[in-house]
Amino acid sequence: MPKRGKSVLVKIWNYVEVLKPRETSLLVFIGFCAAIVAVEGFPSSGRLLLTLAIITLGSGGVNGLTNYIDRQVDARMQRTRHRSLPSRRIDPPEKALFFTIALIAVALGLAWLLHPLCFVFGMIGTLAAVIQRKTVLCPLLGAISGCAPVLIAWFAFKPEFALPLLFLCLLIWIWIPLHVWSVMLANREDYLGAGVSYFPLSREIREAVKVLFLLSLPLFAASIAIYFSGDLGLFYLVAAAFLGILMVYASSHLLVSSASHDAWKVYKLSAFPYLGLIFLAMCLDSWLI
């Protein structure tokens, strides 16, 4: 490939990287699964594609916006200093700001056309993600933001509140602090060196890991409550029980060891292996029954 062509691809990838493609793809996936659960089968393809486009643009845009807000802290951390914005591969960083705001605006506009409540939840998710960054409230507000893809997908196909939707959101609301705090404990010195000192870093590690263990219990309970509140079958129940036990075991192991590598294991387990697979189990169960 000519040098100019490679340069263009590198520049494009820098902007894609700002959107956190791995995190965004997980949010899109759980939104897709929420649509399947809402209709208890196969949603209409045209509406599904529009819904997934909204979640992709909105989640990517919000992830990019948080990357922009956090760029100065990221530049001081070994784990994040090589990202597009802190490394100044996108310079000035305002280029990424305009890009991400444009994505969010398009997503919200399409969400309004899909259903007004999809717009409302998208807006709430956006605001929750960007306020109180790098404070103790950040993971809790991020949990609200993390529910937005599920709410948008659900109301795109079933514009009514239901008990299974409540437990889906509860599952995510518990999962995000556990996920975020475990990576903070795994990289404790890196965060402290960058000036981040709120919970769980404000507590001794042996105290902080107790909270992670305690969170794994209601996380397990919420996953089982989804089975009892909806029309899911035995396949989902077995999968949720297995994954829930796995999370409780990993968190209890961290509780005993308080070791950073065990916190990293909880972090890695909680991402796709747990959240991704439990939503996949919902999909497969909805198609099987």
Side-chain angles (χ1 to χ4, degrees):
M1 181 181 293
K3 186 175 181 180
R4 181 178 176 81
K6 288 184 178 179
S7 176
V8 171
L9 289 176
V10 168
K11 288 180 180 179
I12 292 173
W13 175 250
N14 288 339
Y15 281 89
V16 171
E17 187 182 289
V18 168
L19 308 182
K20 296 183 178 179
R22 285 183 300 179
E23 290 83 350
T24 296
S25 62
L26 179 59
L27 293 172
V28 174
F29 180 71
I30 67 174
F32 167 77
C33 295
I36 301 298
V37 174
V39 301
E40 300 176 18
F42 298 90
S44 60
S45 57
R47 196 170 184 83
L48 178 62
L49 288 174
L50 177 58
T51 302
L52 295 181
I54 290 167
I55 296 173
T56 302
L57 294 172
S59 299
V62 169
N63 281 332
L65 190 54
T66 58
N67 258 344
Y68 173 81
I69 295 170
D70 296 342
R71 67 192 186 283
Q72 293 178 342
V73 173
D74 287 345
R76 297 195 293 269
M77 293 179 58
Q78 293 293 329
R79 192 175 70 89
T80 56
R81 67 194 312 173
H82 298 296
R83 290 176 177 174
S84 295
L85 293 178
S87 66
R88 303 196 74 84
R89 282 185 278 126
I90 297 177
D91 191 32
E94 284 68 30
K95 291 180 180 179
L97 175 62
F98 298 142
F99 173 57
T100 57
I101 289 177
L103 292 180
I104 294 169
V106 171
L108 290 175
L110 292 174
W112 178 263
L113 295 176
L114 189 61
H115 193 284
L117 282 176
C118 293
F119 170 84
V120 170
F121 292 128
M123 180 62 75
I124 291 173
T126 300
L127 295 175
V130 300
I131 61 176
Q132 295 294 318
R133 298 296 302 173
K134 292 297 184 274
T135 69
V136 69
L137 293 177
C138 180
L140 302 178
L141 291 169
I144 296 173
S145 181
C147 292
V150 168
L151 289 164
I152 290 170
W154 185 281
F155 280 88
F157 292 94
K158 191 175 182 179
E160 60 185 48
F161 287 95
L163 201 55
L165 176 62
L166 172 65
F167 287 119
L168 282 175
C169 291
L170 181 62
L171 179 79
I172 296 169
W173 196 83
I174 298 169
W175 172 81
I176 286 183
L178 191 155
H179 183 65
V180 172
W181 288 339
S182 60
V183 74
M184 291 176 69
L185 290 176
N187 298 273
R188 181 182 177 87
E189 298 306 319
D190 202 11
Y191 276 92
L192 290 172
V196 179
S197 57
Y198 59 86
F199 185 87
L201 306 179
S202 58
R203 297 287 187 270
E204 292 293 329
I205 190 166
R206 289 196 173 277
E207 294 298 317
V209 295
K210 292 178 183 178
V211 177
L212 268 64
F213 172 72
L214 291 175
L215 283 174
S216 71
L217 301 178
L219 183 73
F220 189 5
S223 69
I224 301 301
I226 293 171
Y227 165 77
F228 286 106
S229 65
D231 295 319
L232 296 172
L234 185 61
F235 179 85
Y236 170 77
L237 180 61
V238 172
F242 173 76
L243 292 166
I245 291 170
L246 205 59
M247 279 299 302
V248 171
Y249 172 77
S251 300
S252 63
H253 192 68
L254 173 61
L255 181 65
V256 173
S257 70
S258 299
S260 60
H261 65 269
D262 286 325
W264 182 253
K265 288 179 181 177
V266 171
Y267 167 71
K268 296 299 289 185
L269 174 63
S270 64
F272 187 83
Y274 178 79
L275 194 68
L277 289 179
I278 205 164
F279 271 85
L280 177 61
M282 294 178 204
C283 276
L284 295 176
D285 196 286
S286 296
W287 289 330
L288 289 171
I289 61 174

